[in-house]
Amino acid sequence: MSAVHTMVYGTYLDLDTGTLGTWADASEPEPPGVGLAEWLEDGADALVEARPTRILGMLLYSSPTGDGLGWFDPGPVYEQDGRRPFGS
């Protein structure tokens, strides 16, 4: 889950279809139409290549203390909070 400009949104797994979708407090849920395995492979490739994911466009950042990781939209706001893009 992420909070950007007070908008809350996230990703969900539709158990009936096995596909992932996104939701936001200001819109109806939207299925991107990818399965869990494809999403996980995209995340693994993004880690290896130190780039944003292709499916959701999220980038992995280290925590300000360096003891944790989190996926966020790429942008300077997280770096201002002391987070660093993973792999940089």
Coordinates of all heavy atoms in Angstrom, one line a residue:
M1 N 0.8 -1.2 0.0 CA 0.0 0.0 0.0 C 0.9 1.2 0.0 O 1.9 1.2 0.6 CB -0.9 0.0 1.2 CG -1.9 1.1 1.3 SD -3.2 1.0 2.5 CE -2.3 0.7 4.0
S2 N 0.5 2.3 -0.7 CA 1.2 3.5 -0.8 C 0.3 4.7 -0.5 O -0.9 4.7 -0.7 CB 1.8 3.7 -2.2 OG 2.6 2.6 -2.5
A3 N 1.0 5.8 0.0 CA 0.2 7.0 0.2 C 1.0 8.1 -0.6 O 2.1 8.5 -0.2 CB 0.1 7.3 1.6
V4 N 0.4 8.7 -1.6 CA 1.0 9.7 -2.4 C -0.1 10.8 -2.4 O -1.2 10.6 -2.9 CB 1.3 9.3 -3.8 CG1 1.8 10.5 -4.6 CG2 2.3 8.2 -3.8
H5 N 0.3 12.0 -1.9 CA -0.7 13.1 -1.8 C -2.0 12.7 -1.2 O -3.1 13.0 -1.6 CB -0.9 13.7 -3.2 CG 0.3 14.0 -4.0 ND1 1.1 15.0 -3.6 CD2 0.9 13.4 -5.0 CE1 2.2 15.1 -4.4 NE2 2.1 14.1 -5.3
T6 N -1.9 11.9 -0.1 CA -3.0 11.4 0.7 C -3.9 10.5 0.0 O -5.0 10.1 0.5 CB -3.9 12.6 1.3 OG1 -4.6 13.2 0.3 CG2 -3.0 13.5 2.2
M7 N -3.6 10.0 -1.2 CA -4.4 9.0 -1.9 C -3.8 7.7 -1.5 O -2.6 7.4 -1.6 CB -4.3 9.2 -3.4 CG -5.2 8.2 -4.2 SD -5.1 8.6 -5.9 CE -5.5 7.0 -6.6
V8 N -4.7 6.8 -1.1 CA -4.3 5.5 -0.7 C -4.7 4.5 -1.8 O -5.8 4.5 -2.3 CB -5.0 5.1 0.7 CG1 -4.6 3.7 1.1 CG2 -4.6 6.1 1.7
Y9 N -3.7 3.6 -2.1 CA -4.0 2.6 -3.1 C -3.1 1.4 -2.9 O -2.2 1.4 -2.1 CB -3.7 3.2 -4.5 CG -2.3 3.6 -4.8 CD1 -1.4 2.8 -5.4 CD2 -1.8 4.9 -4.4 CE1 -0.1 3.2 -5.6 CE2 -0.5 5.3 -4.6 CZ 0.4 4.4 -5.2 OH 1.6 4.8 -5.5
G10 N -3.4 0.3 -3.6 CA -2.7 -0.9 -3.4 C -3.0 -2.0 -4.5 O -3.7 -1.7 -5.4
T11 N -2.5 -3.2 -4.2 CA -2.7 -4.3 -5.2 C -3.4 -5.4 -4.4 O -3.2 -5.6 -3.3 CB -1.3 -4.8 -5.6 OG1 -0.5 -3.7 -6.1 CG2 -1.4 -5.9 -6.7
Y12 N -4.2 -6.1 -5.2 CA -5.0 -7.2 -4.6 C -4.9 -8.4 -5.5 O -4.6 -8.3 -6.7 CB -6.4 -6.9 -4.3 CG -7.2 -6.7 -5.5 CD1 -7.9 -7.7 -6.1 CD2 -7.3 -5.4 -6.2 CE1 -8.7 -7.6 -7.3 CE2 -8.1 -5.2 -7.3 CZ -8.8 -6.3 -7.8 OH -9.5 -6.1 -9.0
L13 N -5.1 -9.6 -5.0 CA -5.1 -10.9 -5.7 C -6.6 -11.3 -5.8 O -7.2 -11.6 -4.7 CB -4.2 -11.9 -5.1 CG -4.3 -13.3 -5.7 CD1 -3.8 -13.3 -7.2 CD2 -3.4 -14.3 -4.9
D14 N -7.1 -11.5 -7.0 CA -8.5 -12.0 -7.2 C -8.4 -13.5 -7.1 O -7.9 -14.2 -7.9 CB -9.0 -11.6 -8.5 CG -10.5 -12.0 -8.7 OD1 -10.9 -13.1 -8.2 OD2 -11.2 -11.3 -9.4
L15 N -8.9 -14.1 -6.0 CA -8.8 -15.5 -5.7 C -9.6 -16.3 -6.7 O -9.3 -17.5 -7.0 CB -9.2 -15.8 -4.3 CG -8.4 -15.2 -3.2 CD1 -8.9 -15.6 -1.8 CD2 -6.9 -15.7 -3.3
D16 N -10.7 -15.8 -7.3 CA -11.5 -16.5 -8.3 C -10.7 -16.7 -9.6 O -10.8 -17.7 -10.3 CB -12.8 -15.8 -8.6 CG -13.7 -15.9 -7.3 OD1 -13.6 -16.8 -6.6 OD2 -14.5 -14.9 -7.2
T17 N -10.0 -15.6 -10.1 CA -9.3 -15.7 -11.4 C -7.8 -15.9 -11.3 O -7.2 -16.3 -12.2 CB -9.5 -14.4 -12.1 OG1 -8.9 -13.3 -11.4 CG2 -11.0 -14.1 -12.3
G18 N -7.2 -15.7 -10.1 CA -5.8 -15.8 -9.9 C -5.0 -14.6 -10.5 O -3.8 -14.7 -10.7
T19 N -5.7 -13.5 -10.8 CA -5.0 -12.4 -11.4 C -4.9 -11.2 -10.4 O -5.7 -11.2 -9.4 CB -5.7 -11.8 -12.7 OG1 -7.1 -11.5 -12.3 CG2 -5.7 -12.9 -13.8
L20 N -4.0 -10.4 -10.6 CA -3.8 -9.2 -9.7 C -4.6 -8.0 -10.2 O -4.9 -7.9 -11.4 CB -2.3 -8.8 -9.7 CG -1.4 -9.8 -9.0 CD1 0.0 -9.4 -9.3 CD2 -1.7 -10.0 -7.6
G21 N -5.0 -7.2 -9.3 CA -5.7 -5.9 -9.6 C -5.2 -4.8 -8.7 O -4.4 -5.1 -7.8
T22 N -5.5 -3.6 -9.0 CA -5.2 -2.5 -8.2 C -6.5 -1.8 -7.7 O -7.5 -1.9 -8.3 CB -4.4 -1.4 -9.0 OG1 -5.1 -1.0 -10.1 CG2 -3.0 -2.0 -9.4
W23 N -6.4 -1.1 -6.6 CA -7.5 -0.4 -6.0 C -7.0 0.9 -5.5 O -5.8 1.1 -5.3 CB -8.1 -1.2 -4.8 CG -7.2 -1.5 -3.7 CD1 -6.4 -2.5 -3.5 CD2 -6.9 -0.6 -2.6 NE1 -5.6 -2.4 -2.4 CE2 -5.9 -1.2 -1.8 CE3 -7.4 0.6 -2.2 CZ2 -5.5 -0.6 -0.6 CZ3 -7.0 1.2 -1.0 CH2 -6.0 0.6 -0.3
A24 N -7.9 1.9 -5.4 CA -7.6 3.2 -4.9 C -8.8 3.7 -4.2 O -10.0 3.3 -4.5 CB -7.2 4.1 -6.0
D25 N -8.6 4.6 -3.2 CA -9.7 5.1 -2.5 C -10.6 6.0 -3.3 O -11.8 6.3 -3.0 CB -9.3 5.9 -1.2 CG -8.3 7.1 -1.5 OD1 -8.0 7.2 -2.7 OD2 -8.0 7.8 -0.6
A26 N -10.1 6.5 -4.5 CA -10.9 7.4 -5.3 C -11.4 6.7 -6.6 O -11.8 7.4 -7.5 CB -10.1 8.6 -5.6
S27 N -11.3 5.4 -6.7 CA -11.7 4.7 -8.0 C -12.1 3.3 -7.7 O -11.9 2.7 -6.7 CB -10.6 4.8 -9.0 OG -9.5 4.1 -8.6
E28 N -12.8 2.7 -8.8 CA -13.1 1.3 -8.7 C -11.9 0.4 -8.9 O -10.9 0.8 -9.6 CB -14.1 1.0 -9.8 CG -15.5 1.7 -9.7 CD -16.2 1.1 -8.5 OE1 -16.2 -0.1 -8.3 OE2 -16.8 1.9 -7.7
P29 N -11.9 -0.8 -8.3 CA -10.8 -1.7 -8.5 C -10.6 -2.0 -10.0 O -11.5 -2.1 -10.8 CB -11.2 -2.9 -7.8 CG -12.2 -2.5 -6.8 CD -12.9 -1.3 -7.4
E30 N -9.3 -2.1 -10.4 CA -9.0 -2.4 -11.8 C -8.0 -3.5 -11.9 O -7.0 -3.5 -11.3 CB -8.3 -1.1 -12.5 CG -9.2 0.1 -12.5 CD -8.5 1.3 -13.2 OE1 -7.5 1.0 -14.0 OE2 -8.9 2.4 -12.9
P31 N -8.4 -4.6 -12.7 CA -7.5 -5.7 -12.8 C -6.5 -5.5 -14.0 O -6.9 -5.1 -15.1 CB -8.4 -6.8 -13.2 CG -9.6 -6.2 -13.8 CD -9.7 -4.8 -13.2
P32 N -5.2 -5.5 -13.7 CA -4.2 -5.4 -14.7 C -4.1 -6.6 -15.6 O -3.5 -6.6 -16.7 CB -2.9 -5.1 -14.0 CG -3.1 -5.6 -12.7 CD -4.5 -5.6 -12.4
G33 N -4.7 -7.7 -15.2 CA -4.8 -8.9 -16.0 C -3.5 -9.7 -16.0 O -3.3 -10.5 -16.9
V34 N -2.7 -9.6 -15.0 CA -1.5 -10.5 -14.9 C -1.7 -11.4 -13.7 O -2.4 -11.1 -12.7 CB -0.2 -9.7 -14.7 CG1 0.0 -8.8 -15.9 CG2 -0.2 -8.9 -13.5
G35 N -1.1 -12.6 -13.8 CA -1.1 -13.5 -12.8 C -0.1 -13.3 -11.7 O 0.9 -12.5 -11.9
L36 N -0.2 -14.0 -10.6 CA 0.7 -13.8 -9.5 C 2.1 -14.2 -9.9 O 3.1 -13.5 -9.6 CB 0.2 -14.6 -8.3 CG 1.1 -14.6 -7.0 CD1 1.2 -13.1 -6.5 CD2 0.6 -15.5 -6.0
A37 N 2.3 -15.3 -10.6 CA 3.6 -15.7 -11.0 C 4.3 -14.7 -11.9 O 5.5 -14.4 -11.8 CB 3.5 -17.1 -11.8
E38 N 3.5 -14.1 -12.9 CA 4.1 -13.1 -13.8 C 4.5 -11.8 -13.0 O 5.6 -11.2 -13.2 CB 3.1 -12.7 -14.8 CG 3.6 -11.7 -15.9 CD 2.6 -11.4 -16.9 OE1 1.5 -12.0 -17.0 OE2 2.9 -10.5 -17.7
W39 N 3.7 -11.5 -12.0 CA 4.0 -10.3 -11.2 C 5.3 -10.5 -10.3 O 6.1 -9.7 -10.2 CB 2.8 -10.0 -10.3 CG 3.0 -8.9 -9.3 CD1 3.0 -7.5 -9.6 CD2 3.2 -8.9 -7.9 NE1 3.2 -6.8 -8.5 CE2 3.3 -7.6 -7.4 CE3 3.3 -10.0 -7.0 CZ2 3.5 -7.3 -6.1 CZ3 3.4 -9.7 -5.7 CH2 3.6 -8.4 -5.2
L40 N 5.4 -11.8 -9.8 CA 6.6 -12.1 -9.0 C 7.9 -12.1 -9.9 O 8.9 -11.6 -9.5 CB 6.4 -13.4 -8.3 CG 5.4 -13.4 -7.1 CD1 5.1 -14.9 -6.7 CD2 5.9 -12.6 -6.0
E41 N 7.7 -12.7 -11.1 CA 8.9 -12.7 -12.0 C 9.3 -11.3 -12.4 O 10.5 -11.0 -12.5 CB 8.5 -13.5 -13.3 CG 8.4 -15.0 -13.0 CD 7.9 -15.7 -14.2 OE1 7.8 -15.1 -15.3 OE2 7.7 -16.9 -14.1
D42 N 8.3 -10.4 -12.6 CA 8.6 -9.0 -12.9 C 9.4 -8.4 -11.7 O 10.3 -7.6 -12.0 CB 7.3 -8.3 -13.2 CG 7.5 -6.8 -13.6 OD1 8.5 -6.5 -14.3 OD2 6.7 -6.0 -13.2
G43 N 8.9 -8.6 -10.5 CA 9.6 -8.1 -9.3 C 11.0 -8.6 -9.2 O 11.9 -7.8 -8.9
A44 N 11.2 -9.9 -9.5 CA 12.6 -10.5 -9.4 C 13.5 -9.9 -10.4 O 14.6 -9.5 -10.1 CB 12.5 -12.0 -9.5
D45 N 13.0 -9.7 -11.7 CA 13.8 -9.1 -12.7 C 14.1 -7.7 -12.4 O 15.2 -7.2 -12.6 CB 13.0 -9.2 -14.1 CG 12.9 -10.6 -14.6 OD1 13.6 -11.5 -14.1 OD2 12.0 -10.8 -15.5
A46 N 13.2 -6.9 -11.8 CA 13.4 -5.5 -11.4 C 14.5 -5.5 -10.4 O 15.3 -4.5 -10.4 CB 12.1 -4.9 -10.9
L47 N 14.5 -6.4 -9.4 CA 15.6 -6.4 -8.4 C 16.9 -6.7 -9.0 O 17.9 -5.9 -8.7 CB 15.3 -7.6 -7.4 CG 14.3 -7.3 -6.3 CD1 14.0 -8.5 -5.6 CD2 14.7 -6.2 -5.4
V48 N 17.0 -7.6 -9.9 CA 18.3 -8.0 -10.5 C 18.8 -6.8 -11.4 O 20.0 -6.5 -11.4 CB 18.2 -9.2 -11.4 CG1 19.4 -9.5 -12.3 CG2 17.9 -10.5 -10.5
E49 N 17.9 -6.2 -12.1 CA 18.3 -5.1 -13.0 C 18.2 -3.7 -12.4 O 18.5 -2.7 -13.1 CB 17.3 -5.1 -14.2 CG 17.5 -6.4 -15.0 CD 16.4 -6.7 -16.0 OE1 15.6 -5.7 -16.3 OE2 16.2 -7.8 -16.5
A50 N 17.9 -3.6 -11.1 CA 17.8 -2.3 -10.4 C 17.0 -1.3 -11.2 O 17.4 -0.2 -11.4 CB 19.2 -1.8 -10.0
R51 N 15.7 -1.7 -11.5 CA 14.8 -0.8 -12.3 C 13.4 -0.9 -11.8 O 13.1 -1.9 -11.0 CB 14.9 -1.2 -13.8 CG 14.4 -2.6 -14.0 CD 13.9 -2.9 -15.4 NE 13.5 -4.3 -15.6 CZ 12.4 -4.9 -15.2 NH1 11.5 -4.2 -14.6 NH2 12.2 -6.2 -15.4
P52 N 12.5 0.0 -12.1 CA 11.1 -0.2 -11.7 C 10.5 -1.4 -12.3 O 10.9 -1.8 -13.4 CB 10.5 1.1 -12.2 CG 11.6 2.1 -12.4 CD 12.8 1.3 -12.8
T53 N 9.5 -1.9 -11.7 CA 8.8 -3.1 -12.3 C 8.0 -2.6 -13.5 O 7.6 -1.5 -13.6 CB 7.8 -3.6 -11.3 OG1 6.8 -2.6 -10.9 CG2 8.4 -4.2 -10.0
R54 N 7.9 -3.5 -14.4 CA 7.2 -3.2 -15.7 C 5.7 -3.2 -15.5 O 5.0 -2.4 -16.1 CB 7.6 -4.2 -16.8 CG 9.0 -4.0 -17.3 CD 9.3 -4.8 -18.5 NE 10.6 -4.4 -19.0 CZ 11.7 -5.0 -18.7 NH1 11.7 -6.0 -17.9 NH2 12.9 -4.6 -19.2
I55 N 5.2 -4.0 -14.6 CA 3.7 -4.1 -14.4 C 3.1 -3.0 -13.6 O 2.2 -2.4 -14.1 CB 3.4 -5.5 -13.8 CG1 3.8 -6.6 -14.7 CG2 1.9 -5.6 -13.4 CD1 3.6 -8.0 -14.2
L56 N 3.7 -2.6 -12.5 CA 3.1 -1.6 -11.7 C 4.0 -0.3 -11.6 O 3.6 0.7 -11.0 CB 2.9 -2.1 -10.3 CG 1.8 -3.2 -10.2 CD1 1.7 -3.7 -8.7 CD2 0.5 -2.7 -10.6
G57 N 5.2 -0.4 -12.2 CA 6.1 0.8 -12.2 C 6.7 1.1 -10.9 O 7.1 2.3 -10.6
M58 N 6.7 0.2 -9.9 CA 7.3 0.5 -8.6 C 8.8 0.2 -8.6 O 9.3 -0.7 -9.3 CB 6.6 -0.4 -7.6 CG 5.1 -0.3 -7.6 SD 4.5 1.3 -7.0 CE 4.1 1.0 -5.4
L59 N 9.5 1.0 -7.7 CA 10.9 0.8 -7.6 C 11.2 0.4 -6.1 O 10.5 0.9 -5.2 CB 11.6 2.2 -7.9 CG 13.1 2.2 -7.9 CD1 13.7 1.2 -8.9 CD2 13.6 3.6 -8.1
L60 N 12.2 -0.4 -5.9 CA 12.5 -0.9 -4.6 C 13.5 0.1 -3.9 O 14.5 0.5 -4.5 CB 13.2 -2.3 -4.6 CG 13.4 -3.0 -3.3 CD1 12.0 -3.3 -2.6 CD2 14.1 -4.3 -3.5
Y61 N 13.1 0.5 -2.7 CA 14.0 1.5 -2.0 C 14.4 0.8 -0.6 O 13.6 0.1 0.0 CB 13.2 2.8 -1.6 CG 12.9 3.7 -2.8 CD1 11.9 3.5 -3.6 CD2 13.8 4.8 -3.0 CE1 11.6 4.4 -4.7 CE2 13.6 5.6 -4.1 CZ 12.5 5.4 -4.9 OH 12.3 6.3 -5.9
S62 N 15.6 1.2 -0.2 CA 16.0 0.8 1.2 C 15.4 1.8 2.2 O 15.2 3.0 1.8 CB 17.5 0.7 1.3 OG 18.1 2.0 1.1
S63 N 15.2 1.3 3.4 CA 14.7 2.2 4.4 C 15.8 3.2 4.8 O 17.0 3.0 4.6 CB 14.3 1.4 5.6 OG 15.4 0.8 6.3
P64 N 15.4 4.3 5.5 CA 16.4 5.3 5.9 C 17.5 4.7 6.8 O 18.6 5.2 6.8 CB 15.5 6.4 6.7 CG 14.2 6.3 6.0 CD 14.0 4.8 5.7
T65 N 17.1 3.7 7.6 CA 18.1 3.1 8.5 C 18.9 2.0 7.8 O 19.8 1.4 8.4 CB 17.4 2.6 9.7 OG1 16.4 1.6 9.3 CG2 16.8 3.7 10.6
G66 N 18.5 1.6 6.6 CA 19.1 0.5 5.9 C 18.8 -0.9 6.3 O 19.4 -1.8 5.8
D67 N 17.8 -1.0 7.1 CA 17.4 -2.4 7.6 C 16.1 -2.9 7.0 O 15.6 -3.9 7.5 CB 17.3 -2.4 9.1 CG 16.3 -1.4 9.7 OD1 15.7 -0.7 8.9 OD2 16.1 -1.4 10.9
G68 N 15.6 -2.3 6.0 CA 14.4 -2.7 5.4 C 14.3 -2.3 3.9 O 15.0 -1.4 3.5
L69 N 13.3 -2.9 3.2 CA 13.1 -2.5 1.8 C 11.6 -2.3 1.6 O 10.8 -2.9 2.3 CB 13.5 -3.7 0.9 CG 15.0 -4.0 0.9 CD1 15.2 -5.3 0.1 CD2 15.9 -2.9 0.4
G70 N 11.2 -1.5 0.6 CA 9.8 -1.2 0.3 C 9.7 -0.8 -1.1 O 10.6 -0.1 -1.7
W71 N 8.6 -1.2 -1.8 CA 8.3 -0.8 -3.2 C 7.5 0.5 -3.1 O 6.5 0.6 -2.5 CB 7.5 -1.9 -3.8 CG 8.2 -3.2 -4.1 CD1 8.2 -4.3 -3.3 CD2 9.1 -3.5 -5.2 NE1 9.0 -5.3 -3.8 CE2 9.5 -4.8 -4.9 CE3 9.5 -2.8 -6.3 CZ2 10.4 -5.4 -5.8 CZ3 10.4 -3.4 -7.1 CH2 10.8 -4.7 -6.9
F72 N 8.0 1.5 -3.9 CA 7.3 2.8 -4.0 C 7.3 3.3 -5.5 O 8.2 2.8 -6.2 CB 8.0 3.8 -3.1 CG 8.0 3.5 -1.7 CD1 9.1 2.9 -1.1 CD2 6.9 3.8 -0.9 CE1 9.1 2.6 0.3 CE2 6.9 3.5 0.5 CZ 8.0 2.9 1.1
D73 N 6.5 4.2 -5.8 CA 6.6 4.9 -7.1 C 7.9 5.6 -7.1 O 8.3 6.2 -6.1 CB 5.5 5.9 -7.2 CG 4.1 5.3 -7.3 OD1 4.0 4.3 -8.0 OD2 3.1 5.9 -6.7
P74 N 8.6 5.5 -8.3 CA 9.9 6.3 -8.4 C 9.7 7.8 -8.2 O 8.7 8.3 -8.7 CB 10.4 6.0 -9.8 CG 9.6 4.7 -10.2 CD 8.3 4.8 -9.5
G75 N 10.5 8.4 -7.4 CA 10.4 9.8 -7.2 C 11.2 10.4 -6.1 O 11.6 9.6 -5.2
P76 N 11.5 11.7 -6.2 CA 12.4 12.3 -5.2 C 11.8 12.3 -3.8 O 12.6 12.5 -2.8 CB 12.7 13.6 -5.8 CG 11.5 13.9 -6.6 CD 11.1 12.6 -7.2
V77 N 10.5 12.2 -3.6 CA 9.9 12.4 -2.3 C 10.4 11.3 -1.3 O 10.7 11.6 -0.2 CB 8.4 12.4 -2.4 CG1 7.8 11.0 -2.8 CG2 7.8 12.8 -1.0
Y78 N 10.7 10.1 -1.8 CA 11.1 9.1 -0.9 C 12.6 9.3 -0.6 O 13.1 9.0 0.5 CB 10.9 7.7 -1.6 CG 9.4 7.5 -1.8 CD1 8.9 7.5 -3.1 CD2 8.6 7.3 -0.8 CE1 7.5 7.3 -3.3 CE2 7.2 7.2 -1.0 CZ 6.7 7.2 -2.3 OH 5.4 7.0 -2.5
E79 N 13.4 9.8 -1.5 CA 14.8 10.1 -1.3 C 14.9 11.2 -0.3 O 15.8 11.2 0.5 CB 15.5 10.4 -2.6 CG 15.6 9.1 -3.5 CD 16.3 9.4 -4.8 OE1 17.3 10.1 -4.8 OE2 15.9 8.7 -5.8
Q80 N 14.0 12.2 -0.3 CA 14.0 13.2 0.7 C 13.8 12.7 2.1 O 14.2 13.3 3.1 CB 12.9 14.3 0.4 CG 13.3 15.1 -0.9 CD 12.1 15.9 -1.3 OE1 11.0 15.9 -0.7 NE2 12.3 16.6 -2.4
D81 N 13.1 11.5 2.2 CA 12.8 10.9 3.5 C 14.0 10.0 3.9 O 13.9 9.3 4.9 CB 11.5 10.0 3.4 CG 10.3 10.9 3.3 OD1 10.3 12.1 3.6 OD2 9.2 10.3 2.9
G82 N 15.1 10.0 3.1 CA 16.2 9.2 3.5 C 16.3 7.8 2.9 O 17.2 7.0 3.1
R83 N 15.3 7.5 2.0 CA 15.3 6.2 1.3 C 16.2 6.3 0.1 O 16.4 7.4 -0.5 CB 13.9 5.8 0.9 CG 12.9 5.7 2.1 CD 11.6 5.3 1.6 NE 10.6 5.3 2.7 CZ 10.5 4.3 3.6 NH1 11.3 3.2 3.5 NH2 9.7 4.3 4.6
R84 N 16.8 5.2 -0.2 CA 17.7 5.2 -1.4 C 17.2 4.0 -2.3 O 16.9 2.9 -1.8 CB 19.1 4.9 -1.0 CG 19.7 6.0 -0.2 CD 20.0 7.2 -1.1 NE 20.4 8.4 -0.4 CZ 19.6 9.5 -0.2 NH1 18.4 9.5 -0.7 NH2 20.0 10.5 0.5
P85 N 17.2 4.3 -3.7 CA 16.8 3.2 -4.6 C 17.7 2.0 -4.4 O 19.0 2.2 -4.3 CB 17.0 3.8 -6.0 CG 16.9 5.3 -5.7 CD 17.5 5.5 -4.4
F86 N 17.1 0.8 -4.3 CA 17.9 -0.4 -4.1 C 18.8 -0.6 -5.3 O 18.4 -0.5 -6.4 CB 17.0 -1.6 -4.0 CG 17.6 -2.9 -3.6 CD1 18.1 -3.1 -2.4 CD2 17.8 -3.9 -4.6 CE1 18.8 -4.3 -2.0 CE2 18.4 -5.1 -4.3 CZ 18.9 -5.3 -3.0
G87 N 20.1 -0.9 -5.0 CA 21.1 -1.2 -6.0 C 21.9 0.0 -6.4 O 22.7 0.0 -7.3
S88 N 21.6 1.2 -5.8 CA 22.3 2.4 -6.2 C 23.3 2.7 -5.1 O 23.3 2.3 -4.0 CB 21.4 3.6 -6.5 OG 20.8 4.0 -5.3

